[in-house]
Amino acid sequence: MPRTIALKPEQVPAESKQTLDAFTKSIGFTPNMMAAFAQSPIAFNAWAILLGSLSKALDVKTRDSIGLAVSEVNGCNYCLTVHSFTAEHMAKLPADDIILARKGHANDPKRDAAVQFAQKVIETRGQVSDADLSAVRDAGYTDANIIEIVTLVAMYSLTNFFNNVFDPEKDFPAVLPAGSI
């Protein structure tokens, strides 16, 4: 049962309305997480700016794979439904690749290094080893790319934590519970 309500359009604070309306127009509907997050214009708009900026980082398959790996570690079933859906429909990842990403891997060697590194970042709270950093660099990622990976981990963790705390009603098809794959 949700721990907070998704706001109806007339309940959205004026400072959140433009951002929420833009998401609704882009996606075609208003996800419950966003309608709940919009209760705080400061937090919601900051997240939206970060999300928009990071949509230019790396490639969509890598971003969604990182989102899946981080959401799995954080046990966020809401985000796993979202990232599973977007990985399939937007990033065009096959079902096996989605499962692999949830386990912290990818079939593509370069993406695999990024996903493994992202998983290490979240599992160690950033206390990665020199070998972890070398592995992602050896795969062809620059320090700027590595900063983007770390920032993606942080952004996905933010939505994971929000959804774990408030448990909004899921908008996307259910996936197996975290940890059961």
Side-chain angles (χ1 to χ4, degrees), residues 32-96:
N32 289 320
M33 181 214 92
M34 291 182 190
F37 207 170
Q39 292 179 71
S40 170
I42 293 169
F44 180 64
N45 289 318
W47 167 78
I49 290 168
L50 184 60
L51 178 67
S53 296
L54 289 174
S55 71
K56 300 172 195 102
L58 309 170
D59 62 273
V60 68
K61 290 181 180 186
T62 303
R63 288 193 310 270
D64 269 331
S65 295
I66 290 170
L68 286 160
V70 170
S71 298
E72 184 72 32
V73 170
N74 286 327
C76 182
N77 287 321
Y78 184 96
C79 290
L80 285 168
T81 68
V82 173
H83 292 297
S84 294
F85 183 87
T86 59
E88 178 183 355
H89 297 282
M90 297 164 109
K92 305 296 184 199
L93 285 174
D96 289 347

Side-chain angles (χ1 to χ4, degrees), residues 6-14 17 20-21 24 30 35:
L7 299 177
K8 293 179 171 84
E10 65 274 6
Q11 297 172 309
V12 174
K17 188 154 181 40
L20 188 61
D21 288 349
T24 300
T30 304

Side-chain angles (χ1 to χ4, degrees), residues 81-115:
T81 68
V82 173
H83 292 297
S84 294
F85 183 87
T86 59
E88 178 183 355
H89 297 282
M90 297 164 109
K92 305 296 184 199
L93 285 174
D96 289 347
D97 285 4
I98 293 169
I99 297 297
L100 202 55
R102 288 180 66 182
K103 294 180 178 183
H105 291 284
N107 283 321
D108 175 79
K110 186 172 182 179
R111 188 173 351 117
D112 186 55
V115 175

Side-chain angles (χ1 to χ4, degrees), residues 84-159:
S84 294
F85 183 87
T86 59
E88 178 183 355
H89 297 282
M90 297 164 109
K92 305 296 184 199
L93 285 174
D96 289 347
D97 285 4
I98 293 169
I99 297 297
L100 202 55
R102 288 180 66 182
K103 294 180 178 183
H105 291 284
N107 283 321
D108 175 79
K110 186 172 182 179
R111 188 173 351 117
D112 186 55
V115 175
Q116 283 188 54
F117 182 74
Q119 187 177 40
K120 291 280 186 169
V121 169
I122 192 64
E123 287 176 343
T124 67
R125 295 181 180 93
Q127 300 292 324
V128 297
S129 69
D130 290 343
D132 296 328
L133 200 51
S134 291
V136 74
R137 284 179 173 146
D138 290 347
Y141 289 99
T142 65
D143 282 359
N145 296 142
I146 295 167
I147 292 166
E148 292 164 359
I149 292 168
V150 171
T151 307
L152 283 163
V153 169
M155 181 191 66
Y156 291 133
S157 293
L158 169 62
T159 55

